[in-house]
Amino acid sequence: MAIAIVDDTPLNLTLIQALVRKLTPPGTEIVTFSQPLEGLQWCGSNEPDLLIVDYMMPDINGIDFIRTLRKLYPADSVPILMVTAAHEKEVRYESLGAGANDFLTKPIDRHEFDPRVRTMLSLRESHKRLRSWNDDLREAVIRKTADILAREQETVMRLARAAEFRDPETGAHILRMAHYSQLIARRLGLDDELCERILTAAPMHDIGKVGTPDHILLKPARLDDDELEIMRRHPRIGHDILAGSASPMIQMAAEIALTHHEKYDGSGYPDGLAGDAIPLVGRIVAVADVFDALTSPRPYKAAWELERAAAFLREGRGAHFDPACVDAFFDQWDAVLEIRDRFQDE
């Protein structure tokens, strides 16, 4: 516990300090200041448990002292006791308006001083206990939220792995495209929470392929028109699997699943959306997914060289892809290559 006393009269400082000493337990720090600016400086870097301040002082009066202190500590935290002359009624009213919690009149009456100081210290202890409880509760909420998020992330990865068992794409593909997506999102200025959510949700972009027949999904040649029509149902299937969740991350995953095959010029599927009508997360994942799909081997094609895949993205800027997403991707080309090297196909 720390109690600050500010009064330009040494005798008053000695008296108030002695009265406070009798009311507080051993080890209480009682600091006194005859120069109010020194007291204000100390209070600025040391939160007192109680401030007792005189009104009439040089350089700065007690009311201005309180106003300055209240900018640092709200009225429900640090209690302030103002000491004024008995005839200064207007000063007492003004001090309460400035943020004082109570006041005493000179000459100080011990029988009045003791209960008021005890009450203010008791209120301070209650405030500190409440603040500690709030801090503990906040930490508990943070831990619980982190636990829920970890469980969501585990669910996402398990769903994505379930899709892998039926899809020729590899686990490294979903890691690469997810990190590419996060890279683009950060470059576009999305906040950290959204960027992390995209990283977690993007791997479920093709979860709808669990509803695609094997003879189409695993066909080692180009699909005919009828087969292509069936394949193009997977965004809607993926959305239906994920839709309706209370989780913001699963909600984003549903949006990605539905829209990552839309094209910026409106020629994509399943809904033929164009431009900003395509959710931003769908536009982001479209760039990341296509680039990694092009540069990865599939049963029906060999992996493209990086330069050829990069040229494809640039040529599709404004047609297949959102120009801003393409630019964000290439603005971080070194990071793209680092992600590609980090998550290699087994």
Side-chain angles (χ1 to χ4, degrees):
M1 183 179 293
I3 298 174
I5 305 169
V6 183
D7 195 310
D8 64 317
T9 305
L11 181 61
N12 288 342
L13 282 178
T14 302
L15 172 62
I16 296 173
Q17 183 180 27
L19 292 174
V20 169
R21 182 71 68 191
K22 292 179 180 179
L23 297 174
T24 53
T28 300
E29 180 184 10
I30 302 175
V31 291
T32 61
F33 301 95
S34 59
Q35 299 296 322
L37 294 180
E38 292 180 4
L40 194 59
Q41 183 178 10
W42 184 89
C43 290
S45 54
N46 301 272
E47 182 177 335
D49 293 292
L50 172 64
L51 169 67
I52 303 174
V53 60
D54 188 30
Y55 166 64
M56 188 62 70
M57 299 184 296
D59 299 324
I60 180 173
N61 65 39
I63 292 175
D64 289 336
F65 190 106
I66 292 171
R67 286 197 180 104
T68 302
L69 199 67
R70 280 298 179 226
K71 294 177 182 178
L72 301 174
Y73 309 115
D76 63 350
S77 59
V78 175
I80 299 177
L81 185 62
M82 168 72 87
V83 180
T84 67
H87 64 279
E88 295 173 327
K89 183 177 293 187
E90 292 300 323
V91 171
R92 295 200 296 271
Y93 295 156
E94 191 175 358
S95 70
L96 292 172
N101 299 89
D102 205 348
F103 58 87
L104 287 169
T105 57
K106 297 178 182 178
I108 293 176
D109 182 342
R110 177 180 177 181
H111 297 291
E112 183 181 12
F113 181 89
D114 289 4
R116 294 198 179 196
V117 169
R118 284 196 185 96
T119 298
M120 297 183 82
L121 290 177
S122 176
L123 289 173
R124 171 64 173 172
E125 285 300 312
S126 296
H127 171 78
K128 290 170 72 174
R129 285 195 297 271
L130 180 60
R131 186 163 64 182
S132 176
W133 182 82
N134 285 337
D135 290 342
D136 290 344
L137 180 60
R138 188 178 301 109
E139 288 298 319
V141 169
I142 291 172
R143 289 194 299 270
K144 189 64 176 178
T145 301
D147 182 59
I148 292 171
L149 180 59
R151 291 175 184 273
E152 285 185 344
Q153 291 172 337
E154 180 186 8
T155 300
V156 167
M157 294 310 298
R158 288 182 180 276
L159 283 170
R161 288 182 62 193
E164 286 175 43
F165 282 103
R166 302 199 59 254
D167 193 330
E169 296 175 352
T170 67
H173 163 72
I174 64 173
L175 290 174
R176 286 192 300 267
M177 62 80 57
H179 281 82
Y180 294 152
S181 298
Q182 184 188 49
L183 203 67
I184 295 170
R186 283 178 175 162
R187 187 64 175 180
L188 292 176
L190 276 64
D191 63 50
D192 290 343
E193 182 179 355
L194 279 177
C195 291
E196 287 300 314
R197 194 175 297 166
I198 287 172
L199 176 66
T200 306
M204 285 192 287
H205 65 295
D206 275 341
I207 188 66
K209 287 183 178 179
V210 298
T212 303
D214 284 349
H215 73 276
I216 295 175
L217 189 65
L218 305 178
K219 185 177 180 179
R222 288 192 173 275
L223 303 179
D224 61 33
D225 290 345
D226 291 338
E227 292 168 335
L228 191 60
E229 180 63 30
I230 294 172
M231 172 64 85
R232 287 182 172 179
R233 295 173 186 170
H234 79 268
R236 187 82 61 191
I237 295 171
H239 177 267
D240 291 345
I241 290 172
L242 300 170
S245 172
S247 162
M249 189 269 294
I250 301 296
Q251 292 170 9
M252 178 183 284
E255 192 171 55
I256 290 172
L258 183 63
T259 63
H260 72 286
H261 281 298
E262 299 289 356
K263 295 184 180 181
Y264 200 70
D265 62 3
S267 63
Y269 64 91
D271 294 317
L273 302 178
D276 292 344
I278 307 169
L280 179 57
V281 289
R283 286 178 270 150
I284 289 172
V285 170
V287 173
D289 184 41
V290 168
F291 176 79
D292 196 71
L294 292 175
T295 55
S296 302
R298 294 289 184 269
Y300 52 85
K301 74 169 188 68
W304 287 21
E305 295 180 352
L306 290 178
E307 293 76 9
R308 183 184 176 193
F312 182 87
L313 292 190
R314 289 191 173 97
E315 289 169 4
R317 183 183 181 278
H320 188 153
F321 308 108
D322 180 345
C325 294
V326 173
D327 293 345
F329 183 77
F330 286 113
D331 283 347
Q332 303 169 99
W333 186 246
D334 288 344
V336 169
L337 297 180
E338 189 277 327
I339 290 169
R340 178 176 167 78
D341 290 339
R342 193 193 333 163
F343 301 108
Q344 295 282 338
D345 293 328
E346 295 180 358

